Amino acid sequence: MSKQPISLDEALAGFDQVWSPRIVAFVNDYDVRVAKFAGEHVWHVHEHTDEFFLVLDGEIRIALRDGEEREVVLPKGSAFVVPRGVYHKPSSVDGASVLLFEPTGTLSVGDEHDPVPEHVDTTTGHVVA
């Protein structure tokens, strides 16, 4: 990782793939990741960790199954935490750039998930050079 400030705009400009998070920094045992969202992800759950979303550009929706099925809408500048153990499915109609904060090694499709479509990268993140 760089010992210099990190431009999130430059990191996001360095790749085109959606649903393929890039690790821009490490904080203790956590990754700071950026990702591009477009279309739908997959229903999944992280059994042992919360997942933090901060919308840098665009708008995302997160469908949740937490006792009831519901959806939260996050416009640019909004943050939301999906609690551990809650099934969720992020999506973005018009595309979005998102910052995520989660423990190093966390799979992008969680511990359990529906079948993963080709456009979703099953990864623990790709380190930005």
Side-chain angles (χ1 to χ4, degrees):
M1 285 285 105
S2 175
K3 293 184 180 184
Q4 298 298 318
I6 300 156
S7 167
L8 297 182
D9 289 337
E10 286 180 20
L12 285 160
F15 67 99
D16 293 323
Q17 300 86 354
V18 297
W19 307 115
S20 183
R22 300 308 198 258
I23 300 167
V24 295
F26 298 103
V27 178
N28 298 317
D29 297 331
Y30 283 78
D31 294 345
V32 179
R33 303 175 184 183
V34 292
K36 295 180 180 182
F37 288 16
E40 294 187 345
H41 196 265
V42 62
W43 279 106
H44 66 285
V45 64
H46 302 280
E47 292 291 350
H48 305 289
T49 186
D50 302 334
E51 188 171 15
F52 174 85
F53 296 81
L54 171 63
V55 180
L56 302 172
D57 193 39
E59 178 181 277
I60 69 170
R61 295 173 178 271
I62 303 175
L64 301 160
R65 292 179 181 153
D66 58 354
E68 62 179 312
E69 193 161 315
R70 64 188 182 100
E71 182 177 74
V72 295
V73 178
L74 286 82
K76 179 180 178 177
S78 296
F80 185 75
V81 175
V82 175
R84 72 189 72 200
V86 173
Y87 274 88
H88 57 288
K89 181 180 182 180
S91 64
S92 179
V93 173
D94 297 319
S97 297
V98 179
L99 183 137
L100 303 131
F101 191 71
E102 50 199 348
T104 298
T106 300
L107 272 175
S108 60
V109 295
D111 302 312
E112 293 182 24
H113 51 78
D114 283 352
V116 179
E118 281 188 30
H119 69 276
V120 174
D121 185 10
T122 302
T123 181
T124 57
H126 306 280
V127 178
V128 171

